Amino acid sequence: MTSFKIAPSILSADYANFESELKKLEATGAEYAHIDIMDGHFVPNISFGAGVVASMRPHSKLVFDCHLMVSNPEHHIEEFARAGADIISIHAEATPHIHGALQKIRAAGVKPSVVINPGTPVEAVKNVLNLVDQVLVMTVNPGFGGQAFLPETMDKIRELVVLREVNQLNFDIEVDGGIDDKTIGIAKEAGANVFVAGSYVFKGDVNHQVQTLRDALHD
Ligand code: DX5
Ligand code: ZN
């Protein structure tokens, strides 16, 4: 049986109150806290760094799913591992050393995850699928919350499902960007099982919003 996981993104939370925002998320039964790290270089925005992650760590038991939207992520892995990341996602587009960088994440005792942007084919990560615990298929171009879901990315999820089966691999498939109570079902049907949602979760009562996502998965 596939296990579905909801991963609210704190990019849309109140940055002055991360402790209470995390507590609210934990009370919803969400499995992960998705933490978006942006460097103003790989993506235009700057969000927050490892220091913020380390400060949040003692206040939450949620799985910290750290999505590094940074150039040359291999230079920052130990830092995020020390800060308390449980999963580190790095972009195939962000480094010429994706294979070594994923190995570095595993060696740091963290679950490695590889990310592809909407314009990047599955082919780009085919040779590292055996190294990862998760593949993150971006369903928007990274950098901002609140963008519209790109349905054309669903074919890549279907491709990954086939590759996982044929090669007897074992990784989760995560989607990130434009996930709401409608699009979550589309991503589930394609084969995704981890669902990031930022603006949808924080635009209303967090508990209610997470439950509507959960309900949509079981429709
Ligand atoms: C986008 C980030 C996302 C973002 C999603 O670059 O990687 O995690 O928080 O936001 P929504 O759910 O609003 O599209
Ligand atoms: Zn993200």
Side-chain angles (χ1 to χ4, degrees), residues 114-130:
V114 70
V115 195
I116 48 174
N117 279 336
T120 304
V122 167
E123 185 62 32
V125 294
K126 220 168 156 183
N127 291 331
V128 296
L129 292 177
N130 59 326

Side-chain angles (χ1 to χ4, degrees), residues 131-177:
L131 301 179
V132 300
D133 289 337
Q134 175 176 278
V135 179
L136 166 50
V137 176
M138 290 305 299
T139 42
V140 297
N141 285 297
F144 305 93
Q147 303 181 77
F149 178 79
L150 297 169
E152 60 269 37
T153 56
M154 294 298 98
D155 282 347
K156 292 195 282 185
I157 296 179
R158 288 185 272 269
E159 248 182 89
L160 284 163
V161 169
V162 172
L163 284 171
R164 184 172 60 188
E165 180 76 30
V166 169
N167 298 298
Q168 295 180 7
L169 296 170
N170 188 16
F171 52 79
D172 286 329
I173 302 178
E174 182 175 54
V175 283
D176 183 7

Side-chain angles (χ1 to χ4, degrees), residues 9 11 34 36 38 67 69 138 142-146 176-178 196-199:
S9 165
L11 189 68
H34 183 82
D36 286 304
M38 302 180 175
H67 176 194
M69 284 162 275
M138 290 305 299
F144 305 93
D176 183 7
V196 177
S199 51

